[in-house]
Amino acid sequence: MIAPHASWTNRNAPWRDSFGMLALLSLLIAAPALSMIHLLESELVLPALSILLFSGAMIAALLARTDSETVTLENVTLWDIAGAFTMMGCAAAIFSEPDQVALFFEPLTRD
């Protein structure tokens, strides 16, 4: 007969916490991204998406900074998630044209 081990159940606890955090951060990015795709003009989507991804990276980095223990999901930490959001934000910023960014910030500069 195989007896359950307490160390096996404790080993799965950080995985669940990390998966929950990944799911939460994904929802925080996916819901506004889908609404931006439907509400904004097509040339404004990439600059807005890059700003959204950079803010998601900032949130993930702040969560990783305040996390006292290293919660990992198969060796993926919150720092890795923040880095992935940053890379996707950089890619969205690179693919957007400078005039699209100017159109995005144009309502803020009008008198």
Side-chain angles (χ1 to χ4, degrees), residues 66-82:
T66 60
D67 192 15
S68 61
E69 56 187 55
T70 47
V71 178
T72 63
L73 172 65
E74 297 295 325
N75 296 328
V76 175
T77 64
L78 285 172
W79 289 110
D80 298 326
I81 295 169

Side-chain angles (χ1 to χ4, degrees), residues 4-53:
H5 296 288
S7 64
W8 184 79
T9 57
N10 290 338
R11 188 177 62 191
N12 285 336
W15 180 84
R16 289 181 184 153
D17 292 342
S18 179
F19 184 75
M21 187 66 66
L22 178 62
L24 177 66
L25 287 172
S26 297
L27 282 175
L28 286 175
I29 296 295
L34 289 175
S35 64
M36 283 188 318
I37 290 171
H38 292 295
L39 296 176
L40 291 177
E41 297 175 18
S42 61
E43 62 267 0
L44 298 178
V45 171
L46 281 176
L49 187 63
S50 68
I51 292 171
L52 175 70
L53 287 167

Side-chain angles (χ1 to χ4, degrees), residues 83-107:
F85 284 158
T86 303
M87 293 300 289
M88 288 186 286
C90 287
I94 288 170
F95 286 125
S96 63
E97 298 288 330
D99 56 341
Q100 294 172 344
V101 177
L103 284 173
F104 187 72
F105 289 109
E106 186 176 274

